[in-house]
Amino acid sequence: EKHTDSILGWVRYICSSKLVPVSQYVGTVMVCLLGVACLRGWGRWRNSEYQQFISILEETRKNHTPSSKKKLACYDFDFSHWPADFSWEEVSNPKLLSKAGVSLLKPEPKLRGAAESVLNSLRTLPCHIVSFLIAHSFGRRMLYPGSVYLLQRAMRPMLQQGQARLIEECEGQRNKLVACDGNEIDTMFVDRRRDEGLHGQTLVICCEGNAGFYEVGCMNTPLEGGYSVLGWNHPGFAGSTGVPFPQNEANAMDVVIQFAVHKLGFQLGDIVVYAWSIGGFTASWAVMSYPEIQALVLDASFDDLLPLALKVMPDSWRPLVTHTVRQYMNLNSADQLCKYQGPVLLIRRTKDEIITTTGPEDIMSNRGNNLLLKLLQFRYPKVMTDDGVRAIRAWLAASNHIDEAAVYSSYEVDDDWCVSVLQSYKTERDVFFPWSVGEDMTLEGRRQLALFLVRNNFSFIFHCSPSLQHDLCSIPPQRLSSCLLHPVLPLSPPFLIVVKGNYHEEEHLVSLVTRSPVLSL
């Protein structure tokens, strides 16, 4: 009883001496906030410009016309109040999808017995819980720092200036798209179809990096080339809602393509997807799911997230990191890319400190090399034997044109013979990849053909060159063999391009790839 009385006494003391002042402070703060809200409402009610904005917003909601949208675009306000311009449900049947959304390419599950499966699930349950917590806390934010509110807050003035430039100078049209998972995707479309020239008839869909926004990202690259451009922000970036997990990313990419086809009026054959770094995942998903897309451009991209994740985490965490990546952040760009039959343009940054597993000085640790090798091994499996891969790695390790030429000449590659072999194979069969060319060749012939394929479709362009556009234009036409892939752009660029230069400095690459983004990773 004594203990009970003492406890009750302490409760009465706290309530009388502590809670009363706290409640007074809280009440005072609430009154102040209410007063501020009232003053702001009064100020808006007395402001003629704000009243005009409200009337335009209400008019747009009731009558969603291009003229009303153009008036609304003159104002910068919370994008959550922007009326939806396109919904995935307008052209697709929700019943045909799973609850998560569009389908993703996932690794095949290991076959186990029922009893073993139950025991394994119980044994790995703690790992699943920890992986879930990591992925949904700091893991997602490390992978996509652009989704962090503080970074967006710091970049807001820059984003506003970039958006204003796209609208005022490029006559961009801002649109809100609703994906199949309910996320709202912020997009910007610049229409060049009415301009003179053929480039405007091609739509370039841009996929930004993990800290990139369309306002200041790689949209500028195709715009300078005169193309029609459609940029979009990842879920959770700027005006887009949601979180940037792979499923949400694919859902967003899907509604962007549907919008381009059904609302903007482009055919899939008129669309080129251009991606920077981690945007290669959504870009490769797009060409895998829509194989009619004209071409794909991957700039500073990688083959798989797992090696890069293991690089920045402790070795003791390897099993946990592997499980977390494969379960929640499986960015398997190379696997998706191998499902695509069309033209591909790869750009490797040889001083890239982000997608190297050791350091920017070690160009052979650049995961862009692995992306190239996996693609060529799928398309030309009989040519890409161990000896062929070894020869290609020696060529990729060349630090300059002299070393590159030395490696090439050491294998005594006969370009004319390689061209005739490929042309003959394509003429006789005209089949989809993978090709069986090289099946009956000697070891020396396979090496020659492997080096020919990578050299003629994977060109070094040095950053120190006075004009990279001149370097590309000076590539002999016979090196851009039409027997390999049909041309992507009017200039018939190489299938694969390596850009040797500083990761952060500007590059210039003919019409489509004219400037590298600086802010996105």
Side-chain angles (χ1 to χ4, degrees), residues 148-402:
V148 178
Y149 174 76
L150 292 178
L151 178 62
Q152 296 185 31
R153 183 79 177 181
M155 294 184 62
R156 182 171 296 176
M158 193 182 304
L159 298 180
Q160 290 175 339
Q161 292 176 6
Q163 188 180 107
R165 184 187 68 83
L166 289 172
I167 294 175
E168 297 172 4
E169 299 180 12
C170 303
E171 298 182 357
Q173 305 169 21
R174 196 180 186 190
N175 298 282
K176 176 191 284 189
L177 316 183
V178 181
C180 59
D181 54 9
N183 287 335
E184 298 173 349
I185 308 302
D186 185 5
T187 68
M188 180 69 69
F189 172 57
V190 178
D191 194 354
R192 296 283 179 82
R193 285 173 289 188
R194 291 170 294 181
D195 298 350
E196 295 182 359
L198 298 176
H199 290 183
Q201 304 302 317
T202 299
L203 175 67
V204 179
I205 299 180
C206 297
C207 303
E208 302 291 344
N210 63 353
F213 304 81
Y214 72 70
E215 292 89 341
V216 292
C218 58
M219 271 190 72
N220 295 321
T221 299
L223 281 177
E224 292 181 2
Y227 293 87
S228 297
V229 185
L230 176 59
W232 60 282
N233 281 329
H234 297 282
F237 283 51
S240 298
T241 62
V243 289
F245 281 111
Q247 183 65 64
N248 297 344
E249 289 278 297
N251 294 340
M253 187 70 200
D254 185 64
V255 74
V256 168
I257 295 176
Q258 297 282 3
F259 173 71
V261 172
H262 296 283
K263 196 68 176 286
L264 301 181
F266 288 91
Q267 301 295 321
L268 288 173
D270 298 327
I271 295 176
V272 173
V273 182
Y274 173 42
W276 172 262
S277 190
I278 207 171
F281 170 74
T282 50
S284 58
W285 179 90
V287 296
M288 176 189 70
S289 304
Y290 296 91
E292 301 89 353
I293 287 177
Q294 180 183 349
L296 172 65
V297 180
L298 296 181
D299 192 347
S301 196
F302 52 88
D303 61 323
D304 190 7
L305 177 64
L306 183 58
L308 301 175
L310 292 173
K311 176 188 72 171
V312 298
M313 302 302 289
D315 291 338
S316 58
W317 288 31
R318 176 177 289 269
L320 180 61
V321 172
T322 302
H323 181 271
T324 303
V325 169
R326 290 292 178 242
Q327 188 70 25
Y328 298 102
M329 303 173 179
N330 191 28
L331 305 185
N332 50 348
S333 302
D335 295 337
Q336 296 181 151
L337 182 59
C338 289
K339 302 291 183 181
Y340 179 55
Q341 295 285 326
V344 180
L345 175 69
L346 297 185
I347 303 171
R348 185 186 69 176
R349 309 283 167 167
T350 56
K351 294 186 179 180
D352 191 333
E353 68 272 22
I354 303 298
I355 65 170
T356 51
T357 53
T358 56
E361 67 283 349
D362 182 11
I363 63 174
M364 290 310 296
S365 69
N366 189 307
R367 298 304 299 187
N369 298 329
N370 301 78
L371 183 61
L372 162 70
L373 290 173
K374 289 179 180 179
L375 180 60
L376 292 182
Q377 284 172 335
F378 169 77
R379 294 194 169 190
Y380 309 98
K382 304 300 181 181
V383 176
M384 299 297 291
T385 58
D386 292 341
D387 292 286
V389 171
R390 193 177 299 111
I392 288 177
R393 287 188 178 277
W395 188 86
L396 288 174
S399 58
N400 51 57
H401 282 309
I402 298 176

Side-chain angles (χ1 to χ4, degrees), residues 7-133:
I7 293 174
L8 293 175
W10 276 106
V11 172
R12 295 191 193 98
Y13 173 75
I14 292 174
C15 292
S16 60
S17 61
K18 302 290 183 181
L19 293 183
V20 172
V22 169
S23 63
Q24 291 176 350
Y25 296 147
V26 172
T28 303
V29 171
M30 294 299 293
V31 170
C32 291
L33 292 176
L34 181 61
V36 170
C38 292
L39 289 175
R40 185 177 67 173
W42 172 260
R44 288 180 174 179
W45 183 70
R46 299 279 297 177
N47 190 316
S48 59
E49 292 185 2
Y50 187 81
Q51 291 295 323
Q52 183 180 7
F53 159 70
I54 291 296
S55 62
I56 293 175
L57 178 61
E58 292 299 326
E59 178 188 353
T60 306
R61 286 175 174 173
K62 296 177 181 178
N63 188 18
H64 202 59
T65 61
S67 59
S68 60
K69 271 193 60 180
K70 189 174 182 179
K71 295 178 183 178
L72 190 63
C74 298
Y75 298 90
D76 182 24
F77 60 99
D78 190 345
F79 196 63
S80 61
H81 298 284
W82 185 283
D85 298 283
F86 179 80
S87 175
W88 181 89
E89 295 182 352
E90 294 180 18
V91 295
S92 302
N93 187 358
K95 296 181 180 180
L96 301 179
L97 284 184
S98 64
K99 293 182 180 180
V102 297
S103 60
L104 292 178
L105 187 63
K106 298 181 179 180
E108 296 181 1
K110 298 180 180 179
L111 298 177
R112 291 190 176 94
E116 184 182 356
S117 179
V118 172
L119 292 175
N120 184 70
S121 299
L122 293 175
R123 187 175 68 254
T124 58
L125 180 60
C127 182
H128 283 279
I129 295 174
V130 175
S131 295
F132 178 86
L133 295 176

